[in-house]
């Protein structure tokens, strides 16, 4: 799913924002705050300490309003009072005053404060009563939403949201930018780009193509044919490096995908049947139409088994291109495509398991069933530690590999067994965390103070683990490995095709089926199925995006790189059409990306 932004939007504007500090600062610290928020009051003291004691004359402080009227009934009035004071050139005086007097933010107390600060009291009271400055506060609220801000206080350091601890040392470490911090920030900024995973996959594919067609092509083949054997007594598993990636590492990708599917079914876009109907219908149409078109070109031929190649969508590429289009693509359309792609992944997984499996070893199936049952038993017994599931997963993978089924099934089954847990009792956890932090402030006892500290930290770690279910934690922790290591490696290992006349014969049925299926079949099937679902009353017609935008998103779903190549390997193995099928997938990805970009870039608004 599309992630919340971490960059400040819009950036700091001297003509609009309230700023205190040097014009050419070493660092800019922006806070979204609430004058009635106790946490903002504590942060206020910390900000002053950093600016005056640690980095004097180096920090420019910017404040934007985020009044939480649900919890703080006087917060909106206080924000407007700060703007009324700003109209008389005294914003920061009122800002400091209100944080020092959070118990006196009613209307009369604020008017008295204006007199204390030497403001024109009558003008201040009139502007406060007439809510003259409410639009200015509303604009800050809109900017907070655009920046992914939901709580107070939220800080941005040089335009990037700071999610670290609020203690002085941690904040200062970020502001001073040591080498390790700069490297970490660059990595986090890159990972925060929606197109980053797709860019790495594209880079891996380009490197593989160039390498496989260079004078060093033999080294490319030799690398992936290198045997890497695992031995345990008389048992040995001698697989090539290519097989370890396609049968081993890629299983983690499917494991993460299935965890994401579980989340969407339980609490996400697909948790409500009517909301799920639209992306489910689109996914079904987007899988069926390419299969039909491919089969029309290859009916009864030797390459008919390749029908599954054009049915998949590469989520990373599709969402990455949509992110590059910025505001031309509404958020609702990105959510629709993400949900569609998840359902598409389910279909691709089922196709691999049911239609691209050859010889079956019954003993392996029985052993796999026992391993899966063991993982389910761990779930039923409410085992939440990852190690037992990891051991069960290794055994399950081995059994599935021995059975002859594709090993991706092991990743899917293990993800199904990972517990999700019920939502935590937030008031109880809040009380517990408050009590634990209060215990750290108790007077130290020399003999056991360190042990008390360690016990409290362990309790806090356990409390934090309860905030996310084991499935959510694993999805969060493994997604970077899946996106930034496994998928690029998969592209590097599978896209190295030696280009020859036979691999460029795009008029052959297998090539026509793949290209037409992905470039035409995907947008046609997705748009038609979406329209039919709306017409049949199964889903509501989208109001946030237009039908042309649906078609443009459908075209981007024709970028089927990862799964299409994977299914091509399973369908054609080492036969002649494999190289042509892979090259055709790459050509189709370029054409689909161009078509989708053109449709979305020129799409009118839904009301047009």
């Amino acid at each position: 799913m599309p992630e919340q932004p971490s960059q400040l939007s819009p950036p700091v504007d001297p003509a609009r924002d309230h700023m205190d500090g040097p014009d050419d600062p070493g660092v800019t610290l922006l806070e979204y705050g609430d004058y009635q928020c106790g946490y903002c009051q504590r942060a206020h003291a910390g900000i002053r300490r950093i600016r005056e004691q640690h980095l004097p004359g180096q920090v420019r402080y910017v404040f934007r309003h985020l009044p939480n009227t649900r919890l703080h009934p006087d917060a909106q009035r206080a924000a407007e009072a700060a703007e009324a004071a700003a109209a008389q050139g005294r914003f920061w005086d009122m800002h400091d005053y209100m944080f020092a007097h959070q118990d006196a933010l009613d209307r009369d107390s604020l008017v008295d404060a204006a007199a204390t600060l030497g403001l024109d009291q009558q003008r201040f009271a009139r502007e406060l009563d007439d809510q003259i400055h409410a639009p200015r506060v509303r604009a800050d609220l809109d900017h907070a939403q655009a920046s992914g801000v939901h709580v107070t206080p939220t800080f941005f350091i040089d335009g990037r949201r700071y999610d670290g601890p609020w203690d002085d040392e941690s904040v200062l470490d970020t502001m001073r930018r040591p080498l390790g911090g700069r490297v970490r920030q660059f990595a986090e900024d890159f990972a925060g780009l929606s197109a980053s995973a797709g860019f790495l996959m594209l880079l891996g594919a380009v490197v593989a193509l160039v390498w496989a067609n260079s004078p060093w092509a033999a080294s490319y083949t030799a690398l992936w044919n290198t045997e890497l054997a695992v031995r345990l007594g008389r048992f040995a598993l001698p697989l090539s490096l290519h097989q370890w990636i396609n049968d081993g590492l890629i299983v983690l990708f499917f494991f993460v995908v299935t965890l994401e599917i579980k989340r969407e079914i339980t609490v996400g876009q697909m948790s409500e049947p009517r909301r799920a109907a639209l992306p489910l219908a689109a996914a079904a149409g987007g899988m069926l139409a390419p299969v039909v078109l491919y089969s029309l070109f290859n009916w009864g031929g030797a390459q008919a088994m390749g029908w599954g190649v054009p049915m998949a969508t590469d989520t990373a590429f599709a969402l990455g291109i949509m992110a590059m289009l910025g505001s031309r693509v509404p958020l609702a359309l990105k959510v629709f495509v993400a949900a569609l792609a998840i359902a598409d992944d389910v279909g691709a997984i089922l196709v691999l398991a049911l239609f691209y499996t050859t010889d079956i070893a019954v003993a392996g199936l029985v052993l796999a069933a026992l391993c899966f049952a063991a993982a389910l038993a761990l779930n039923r017994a409410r085992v939440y530690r990852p190690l037992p599931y990891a051991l069960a997963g290794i055994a399950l993978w081995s059994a599935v590999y021995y059975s002859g089924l594709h090993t991706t099934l092991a990743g899917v089954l293990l993800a199904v067994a990972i517990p999700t847990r019920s939502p935590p009792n937030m008031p109880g956890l809040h009380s517990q965390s408050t009590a634990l932090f209060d215990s750290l402030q108790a007077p130290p006892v020399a003999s056991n103070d360190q042990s008390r500290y360690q016990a409290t930290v362990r309790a806090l770690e356990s409390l934090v683990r309860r905030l996310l279910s084991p499935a959510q934690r694993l999805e969060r922790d493994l997604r970077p490995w899946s996106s930034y290591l496994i998928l690029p490696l998969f592209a590097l290992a599978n896209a190295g095709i030696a280009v020859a006349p036979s691999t460029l014969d795009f008029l052959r049925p297998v090539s026509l089926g793949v290209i037409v299926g992905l470039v035409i079949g995907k947008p046609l099937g997705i748009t038609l199925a979406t329209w039919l679902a709306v017409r049949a009353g199964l889903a509501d017609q989208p109001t946030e995006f237009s039908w042309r935008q649906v078609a443009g998103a459908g075209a981007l779903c024709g970028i089927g790189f990862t799964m299409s190549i994977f299914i091509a390997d399973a369908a054609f193995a080492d036969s002649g059409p494999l190289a042509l099928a892979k090259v055709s997938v790459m050509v189709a990805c370029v054409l689909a990306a161009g078509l989708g970009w053109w449709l979305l870039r020129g799409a009118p608004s839904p009301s047009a």
Side-chain angles (χ1 to χ4, degrees):
M1 299 298 290
E3 297 183 359
Q4 288 293 335
S6 61
Q7 300 294 324
L8 183 66
S9 178
V12 172
D13 182 1
R16 178 196 175 280
D17 282 307
H18 301 296
M19 300 186 298
D20 184 29
D23 294 333
D24 186 20
V27 63
T28 297
L29 173 66
L30 181 143
E31 175 187 2
Y32 275 99
D34 176 331
Y35 288 114
Q36 205 173 7
C37 167
Y39 302 110
C40 294
Q41 184 186 50
R42 296 174 194 171
H44 182 67
I47 291 169
R48 172 171 291 177
R49 194 164 52 247
I50 288 173
R51 296 182 65 208
E52 294 179 356
Q53 298 178 18
H54 299 291
L55 296 173
Q58 300 179 52
V59 179
R60 178 172 61 180
Y61 174 50
V62 183
F63 187 86
R64 289 181 182 174
H65 304 289
L66 187 62
N68 186 341
T69 54
R70 185 173 59 86
L71 296 178
H72 308 135
D74 296 325
Q76 176 69 24
R77 184 190 303 110
E80 293 179 29
E83 292 302 323
Q88 300 186 42
R90 302 292 294 277
F91 174 85
W92 292 109
D93 294 328
M94 181 61 77
H95 174 88
D96 293 337
Y97 182 92
M98 288 191 293
F99 273 132
H101 301 84
Q102 282 193 328
D103 56 345
L105 298 180
D106 58 278
R107 187 262 184 197
D108 292 339
S109 296
L110 290 172
V111 172
D112 291 341
T116 302
L117 296 174
L119 301 178
D120 182 334
Q121 191 176 24
Q122 290 185 347
R123 175 187 171 185
F124 180 91
R126 183 175 64 256
E127 292 182 356
L128 196 61
D129 292 339
D130 294 343
Q131 296 185 305
I132 297 297
H133 302 288
R136 171 67 172 75
V137 177
R138 178 70 253 176
D140 274 3
L141 288 168
D142 293 339
H143 295 162
Q145 184 177 12
S147 301
V149 177
H150 305 288
V151 298
T152 56
T154 294
F155 301 102
F156 286 80
I157 297 177
D158 288 337
R160 187 179 186 280
R161 188 172 63 233
Y162 174 73
D163 294 323
W166 292 349
D167 63 284
D168 290 3
E169 185 175 351
S170 298
V171 176
L172 284 168
D173 199 38
T174 301
M175 288 183 169
R176 288 169 174 160
R177 299 177 183 171
L179 178 60
R182 291 198 298 270
V183 172
R184 182 181 67 251
Q185 180 169 326
F186 173 79
E188 291 175 354
D189 287 343
F190 178 77
L193 298 174
S194 298
S196 57
F199 171 77
L200 288 179
M201 288 173 59
L202 179 62
L203 180 63
V206 170
V207 169
L209 272 174
V210 172
W211 190 357
N213 292 278
S214 72
W216 304 278
S219 65
Y220 177 85
T221 304
L223 172 65
W224 302 116
N225 287 335
T226 302
E227 183 179 290
L228 185 62
V230 174
R231 300 184 184 278
L232 184 63
R234 292 187 301 173
F235 173 79
L237 191 61
L239 300 179
S240 67
L241 196 55
H242 183 270
Q243 289 174 308
W244 277 115
I245 291 173
N246 281 28
D247 291 323
L249 282 181
I250 202 68
V251 174
L252 284 178
F253 166 73
F254 282 94
F255 176 75
V256 173
V257 166
T258 308
L259 288 177
E260 187 175 16
I261 293 168
K262 284 182 65 174
R263 173 171 53 78
E264 288 300 311
I265 290 174
T266 54
V267 298
Q269 179 81 358
M270 298 184 186
S271 59
E272 300 177 18
R274 194 161 185 84
R275 289 180 62 195
L278 202 64
L280 286 176
M287 289 185 286
L288 182 60
V291 170
V292 171
L293 289 177
Y294 180 92
S295 299
L296 288 177
F297 284 102
N298 293 274
W299 188 262
Q303 288 79 44
M305 273 302 291
W307 57 266
V309 175
M311 65 178 292
T313 293
D314 197 301
T315 315
F317 276 125
L319 291 178
I321 292 177
M322 294 175 82
M324 292 168 62
L325 285 163
S327 60
R328 294 179 183 271
V329 180
L331 177 61
L333 186 64
K334 297 177 185 177
V335 173
F336 169 75
V337 170
L340 183 166
I342 288 170
D344 194 298
D345 286 333
V346 175
I349 291 167
L350 291 175
V351 164
L352 273 171
L354 299 177
F355 298 102
Y356 291 103
T357 299
T358 52
D359 298 329
I360 301 295
V362 177
L365 284 178
V366 173
L367 185 58
L370 292 174
C371 293
F372 180 53
L376 291 176
L378 291 172
N379 185 326
R380 190 67 180 268
R382 298 190 177 184
V383 174
Y384 297 128
R385 296 286 182 179
L387 181 59
Y389 292 98
L391 296 175
I394 293 172
L396 178 60
W397 179 87
S398 302
V400 171
Y401 179 81
Y402 176 69
S403 73
L405 292 172
H406 205 282
T407 52
T408 53
L409 187 62
V412 174
L413 293 176
L414 183 63
V416 169
I418 299 296
T420 54
R421 297 184 84 170
S422 57
N425 175 12
M426 295 308 298
L429 291 184
H430 180 267
S431 300
Q432 182 184 3
S433 62
T434 301
L436 288 169
F437 278 109
D438 287 345
S439 72
L440 291 176
Q441 299 178 15
V445 179
S447 59
N448 66 352
D449 187 61
Q450 188 60 27
S451 61
R452 183 187 69 182
Y453 176 83
Q454 295 291 344
T456 303
V457 170
R458 285 196 298 271
L460 285 169
E461 288 177 340
S462 177
L463 184 151
V464 170
R465 283 198 300 270
R466 181 62 182 91
L467 294 175
L468 291 177
S469 70
Q472 290 172 317
R473 288 202 308 273
L474 284 169
E475 181 189 347
R476 178 200 62 191
D477 295 342
L478 292 176
R479 185 186 288 121
W481 293 97
S482 172
S483 299
Y484 304 117
L485 177 64
I486 294 173
L487 290 182
L489 272 178
F490 176 84
L492 185 63
N494 289 275
I497 304 162
V499 177
S502 60
T503 60
L504 298 177
D505 186 1
F506 299 129
L507 295 179
R508 290 175 61 184
V510 64
S511 181
L512 288 171
V514 170
I515 294 175
V516 173
L518 285 171
V519 179
I520 297 177
K522 272 290 183 180
L524 179 64
I526 288 172
T527 307
L528 181 59
T530 303
W531 182 81
L532 288 174
V534 171
R535 293 284 294 179
L538 299 175
D540 297 324
Q541 181 170 344
T543 57
E544 301 92 342
F545 45 87
S546 65
W547 287 110
R548 175 166 173 161
Q549 287 173 317
V550 172
L556 291 183
C557 290
I559 305 174
F561 184 79
T562 306
M563 289 303 303
S564 292
I565 287 181
F566 205 81
I567 296 176
D569 272 323
F572 299 120
D574 295 324
S575 62
L578 177 59
L580 177 60
K582 287 185 177 183
V583 172
S584 300
V585 167
M586 296 179 191
V587 171
C589 288
V590 174
L591 295 175
L595 177 61
W597 181 280
W598 175 73
L599 286 170
L600 289 174
R601 188 173 177 81
S605 64
S607 59

